[in-house]
Amino acid sequence: MGMGTTVRAMLKTVLTTSLIVAVPLGLVRSLGGFEAIELAAYDDFLRRRPVEAMDDRISIVTISDDDIEQLQQFPIHDSTFAQVLQKLERFNPRAIGLDIARDVPQGPPAGRNQLTNVISASQTIVSGCLLSGGETTGSPPAPGTPEGGAAFADFPIDADTIVRRVLLVSVPGASTRPIRVKHACNDPNPANEIYSLSFELARMYLEGENINPEPTDQGEIRFGSQVLQRINSNFGSYADADASDYQMMLNYRGAEPVFREISIVDVLQNKIQPEWIRDRVILIGNTSNVSKDFLATPYLKTQLGLRNMHGVTVHAHAVSQILSAVLDQRPFIRSWSELAEILWLWLWALGSGLLAFYNRRLGLFVLGLVGLSAAVWGICYGVFVSQGLWIPWVPPLIGIILTALGVRLADLASRSGYAQALYEQIRDQMQAGGGRDRKGDYLERLVLRARAVRQKEAMAEMLQDDTLSLATANPEMRALYEQIESKVRRDLATEQAAQMTANPQPRSSTRQAGRIQGLLNRAQQLRNQPTPSNSQPPETLP
């Protein structure tokens, strides 16, 4: 009976507190209240991951400040690009991606014609463009790009300007500005679906492995057995993100250089090895400071010494994540459903409530709280590194702390109120000279009276069990009673001493008080002695 009551009291306190904490936290999270801090936690997970090996399937041809100085060209002339493309194609790369703007002719007119002829005759060159939308009219692909040969170079940007996602397929948006030159990347026709530069380069590489994209029943893209998992607007810790197009999380390989970089001057001067190019994806882009072609990433320190990473390098990471997932089974960034994440939050809150209920010692309580907080972080980080599973840990951590504190405060308040009521009852009994009755149930009745004062239903059920003796079956209550009784005796003794000092009593009164005190001591000794089952009740004290 007592154990069942304790369990019911525990469930009532812990369940109620955990739900009171978890439900508002889940609501605030769904409205985006934790989005900023959770994205920061996601970035921290990325930064803490071990550095991954170089992906030698991708090479980057860079245009640095040194290259600009040596060539004395900025922007690089069309004729120079034409020469670079011709030299690269001699080594039979699988795909060449141009992450540069060629919407305006650069250099002599003859160079423009030369670049147009090289691109139009190639089966491996993919020209990047920028999509229209809002106040942007878009940027066209390089001249000579055949129909269907353009690929957009846009990335979705989060509110804090950091690139955490990548577009795979999209349609140009309507522009609020007048469009003077129409091209594939500013046509808002819904049927005009365009691949991203990274997706198209990955597709061309995998085609060389006899792996072609196929649609799934859910409208996603599959390469072999690997599905490119599309995210929605509430993926992970996002709340109403702009993810109407086909988007994925960008699974960076790290902040350190993980792709081979070749300067454009070295290509022009034939200072490259054929194996750097053959059967590889080649990306060409600006890495000069003057070009300002860089994007903010989750990493605090990159090649540029800050969050920024060259745009062409970000494209290389996007290509690498598709190739690595299809060919190496490297996991994509995934997440649970919203319902599963809410259940995850509540379970941690419930666990911390149980911890607080059973660990009433402050030291164990604090140690357990720290251990539980470390456990939720460790589990979330572990599955993120090993499986690419993004599980929120900030809301569960808040739920752990709030639930534990709530349960502990409720428990302390209950115990404090009960102890105060018990103190008052014992004091009344001692002041009235009451002693233990003949059946020896003085303590039980005293606790019952204290319970009546506090109106505690759980304690009432426990005390209604006639077979329960708190003095013997519940050591904690017995200890509590003895502590309170000792305090009452000290308080009364102090008050009596103060009264005697203020009002000295006659000698006869003092003798009478001593006699009464002796009788009380004798009653106390008799009460503490076990009463044999076949013995008669003691006589009433005179």
Side-chain angles (χ1 to χ4, degrees), residues 42 62 161 164-165 167 215 219 265 321 328 395 461 540:
Y42 170 83
T62 62
T161 72
R164 299 183 180 91
R165 295 169 286 149
L167 274 169
V265 170
Q321 83 162 355
D328 306 329
E461 295 178 2
T540 303

Side-chain angles (χ1 to χ4, degrees), residues 61-271:
V61 175
T62 62
I63 306 170
S64 65
D65 292 315
D66 290 339
D67 296 325
I68 293 173
E69 185 178 355
Q70 290 186 55
L71 296 173
Q72 291 296 298
Q73 298 176 16
F74 183 78
I76 300 299
H77 293 173
D78 293 335
S79 59
T80 304
F81 270 118
Q83 295 177 45
V84 170
L85 293 174
Q86 288 175 326
K87 289 180 178 293
L88 291 173
E89 287 199 304
R90 292 174 186 171
F91 298 111
N92 299 318
R94 292 194 187 179
I96 300 175
L98 303 182
D99 183 31
I100 53 174
R102 292 287 98 178
D103 53 334
V104 178
Q106 303 293 337
R112 191 71 169 179
N113 294 332
Q114 184 182 3
L115 179 61
T116 301
N117 293 333
V118 171
I119 293 177
S120 61
S122 175
Q123 299 296 318
T124 59
I125 297 175
V126 180
S127 180
C129 66
L130 295 179
L131 298 176
S132 60
E135 297 183 356
T136 304
T137 59
S139 175
T145 301
E147 184 177 355
F152 63 84
D154 304 72
F155 283 97
I157 308 293
D158 286 339
D160 54 4
T161 72
I162 294 177
V163 175
R164 299 183 180 91
R165 295 169 286 149
V166 58
L167 274 169
L168 300 184
V169 184
S170 187
V171 175
S175 176
T176 58
R177 298 173 59 187
I179 295 181
R180 296 181 175 86
V181 179
K182 291 186 178 181
H183 50 80
C185 297
N186 62 14
D187 180 5
N189 187 337
N192 182 30
E193 289 188 341
I194 304 177
Y195 292 149
S196 69
L197 181 62
S198 57
F199 177 82
E200 181 64 12
L201 294 175
R203 184 196 67 78
M204 294 173 67
Y205 184 93
L206 293 172
E207 187 178 34
E209 302 289 331
N210 295 320
I211 303 175
N212 296 302
E214 298 177 352
T216 66
D217 295 337
Q218 292 74 31
E220 296 179 317
I221 301 172
R222 180 179 65 228
F223 283 99
S225 61
Q226 187 65 262
V227 177
L228 307 186
Q229 298 176 357
R230 183 176 185 172
I231 67 173
N232 56 32
S233 59
N234 294 320
F235 179 86
S237 298
Y238 283 103
D240 197 25
D242 183 11
S244 57
D245 297 327
Y246 202 128
Q247 296 186 21
M248 297 178 63
M249 297 301 293
L250 180 49
N251 195 4
Y252 290 90
R253 297 185 73 89
E256 301 297 326
V258 290
F259 307 105
R260 178 178 287 107
E261 296 186 0
I262 309 167
S263 74
I264 193 172
V265 170
D266 286 344
V267 175
L268 291 170
Q269 295 177 355
N270 299 317
K271 295 180 179 179

Side-chain angles (χ1 to χ4, degrees), residues 226-338:
Q226 187 65 262
V227 177
L228 307 186
Q229 298 176 357
R230 183 176 185 172
I231 67 173
N232 56 32
S233 59
N234 294 320
F235 179 86
S237 298
Y238 283 103
D240 197 25
D242 183 11
S244 57
D245 297 327
Y246 202 128
Q247 296 186 21
M248 297 178 63
M249 297 301 293
L250 180 49
N251 195 4
Y252 290 90
R253 297 185 73 89
E256 301 297 326
V258 290
F259 307 105
R260 178 178 287 107
E261 296 186 0
I262 309 167
S263 74
I264 193 172
V265 170
D266 286 344
V267 175
L268 291 170
Q269 295 177 355
N270 299 317
K271 295 180 179 179
I272 59 176
Q273 300 296 324
E275 58 269 21
W276 297 350
I277 308 300
R278 184 177 296 115
D279 285 332
R280 281 162 174 74
V281 171
I282 310 300
L283 276 159
I284 305 176
N286 287 294
T287 59
S288 62
N289 292 328
V290 67
S291 67
K292 300 185 184 302
D293 183 14
F294 43 73
L295 298 168
T297 70
Y299 298 97
L300 297 177
K301 185 177 181 181
T302 65
Q303 291 172 275
L304 298 179
L306 63 166
R307 275 189 181 272
N308 293 335
M309 184 180 289
H310 299 299
V312 67
T313 306
V314 178
H315 282 292
H317 281 281
V319 176
S320 178
Q321 83 162 355
I322 297 177
L323 299 184
S324 299
V326 176
L327 300 176
D328 306 329
Q329 284 70 52
R330 179 175 181 256
F332 290 119
I333 303 296
R334 302 174 294 113
S335 74
W336 282 339
S337 65
E338 290 186 71

